């Protein structure tokens, strides 16, 4: 049995996804991180200058870090299809613990649980 409040994380990720700014890809993503009992959620925020856009996962990470959190316990990623975090987000998250990861696809109600270390076995570190 998992001690992670997945339903709470999913609810927050879905709520954030509703606010996604994705006029270019039309692909909305929501993410929620659990850290020290608190939840930090965000969505993807795109830009006409495409590389300026940021993924939902890194948005959530920035919110958690700005609130003083340094150890993330769990991550939920919600999209239409079930998708894993991109490589850049995996690397960004890797400095903040080997968190549990739940991928949620809303279209077919797919779910898959994994860990960050399984998704990124060899992170870069200094
Ligand atoms: N995106 C995320 O927010 N998270 C991911 O894990 C993969 C991709 C966003 C970036 C872009 O706004 C859109 O999805 C399409 O790539």
């Amino acid at each position: 049995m998992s001690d992670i409040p997945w339903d709470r994380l999913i609810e927050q990720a879905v709520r954030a996804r509703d606010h996604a700014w994705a006029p270019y890809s039309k692909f909305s993503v929501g993410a929620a991180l659990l850290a020290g009992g608190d939840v930090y959620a965000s969505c993807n925020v795109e830009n006409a200058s495409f590389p300026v856009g940021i993924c939902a996962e890194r948005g959530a990470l920035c919110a958690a870090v700005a609130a003083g959190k340094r150890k993330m316990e769990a991550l939920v990623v919600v999209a239409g299809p079930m998708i894993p975090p991109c490589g850049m987000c995996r690397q960004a998250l890797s400095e903040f613990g080997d968190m549990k990861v739940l991928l949620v696809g809303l279209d077919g109600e797919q779910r898959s649980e994994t860990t960050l270390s399984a998704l990124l076995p060899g992170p870069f570190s200094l």
Side-chain angles (χ1 to χ4, degrees), residues 49-89:
S49 177
F50 291 177
V52 174
I54 186 168
C55 293
E57 295 89 330
R58 273 175 294 136
L61 180 64
C62 289
V65 171
K69 305 297 181 180
R70 295 292 183 266
K71 170 89 180 76
M72 313 303 159
E73 284 119 33
L75 167 72
V76 164
V77 182
V78 173
M82 190 175 71
I83 55 146
C86 78
M88 188 182 282
C89 289

Side-chain angles (χ1 to χ4, degrees), residues 25 27 29 44 46 55-57 83-86:
S25 73
F27 191 82
V29 184
N44 52 333
E46 298 184 348
C55 293
E57 295 89 330
I83 55 146
C86 78

